[in-house]
């Protein structure tokens, strides 16, 4: 696989993160500690490859609590870290048990669209 394909895949995974978190590119850049969002725009538009600094910032950001860095780098495994995946599944189970009827159906529809 060539560099361009790898960059495209990482860009797609970043887009998945933004969709999951509801953040904008600018918000993502700020949370990574960039003063300007240009770096994130360049990575997502494949004008430049993500650097060591990009991944270092990601690994020390709040995203690393939820998003698996190995997945971001390689696409292997789940986007969510194992411990967060378990918490998320537990929360979904609890919510679904507490909801009944129409509310539960709306919640399931919401979760289906979110994933």
């Amino acid at each position: 696989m060539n560099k361009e394909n790898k960059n495209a895949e990482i860009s797609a995974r970043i887009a998945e993160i933004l969709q999951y978190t509801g953040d904008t590119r600018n918000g993502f850049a700020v949370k990574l500690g960039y003063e300007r969002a240009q770096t994130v725009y360049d990575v997502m538009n494949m004008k430049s490859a993500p650097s060591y600094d990009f991944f270092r910032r990601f690994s020390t950001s709040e995203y690393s609590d939820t998003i698996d860095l190995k997945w971001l780098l390689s696409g292997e495994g789940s986007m969510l870290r194992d411990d967060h995946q378990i918490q998320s599944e537990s929360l979904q189970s609890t919510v679904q048990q507490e909801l009944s009827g129409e509310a539960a159906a709306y919640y399931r529809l919401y979760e289906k669209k979110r994933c």
Side-chain angles (χ1 to χ4, degrees), residues 2-3 17 37-38 43 49 51 65 69 79 83 85 96:
N2 65 31
K3 275 186 169 182
I17 292 169
Q38 192 62 46
V43 168
S51 64
D65 294 340
L69 181 59
M79 177 177 72
D83 53 337
Q85 183 100 17
Q96 287 178 349

Side-chain angles (χ1 to χ4, degrees), residues 22-52:
D23 285 334
T24 63
R25 291 178 182 194
N26 190 52
F28 182 73
V30 168
K31 288 178 182 177
L32 293 186
Y34 289 107
E35 291 181 23
R36 299 179 329 130
Q38 192 62 46
T39 301
V40 172
Y41 280 92
D42 288 348
V43 168
M44 292 191 70
N45 293 328
M46 296 181 300
K47 291 182 179 181
S48 65
S51 64
Y52 167 81

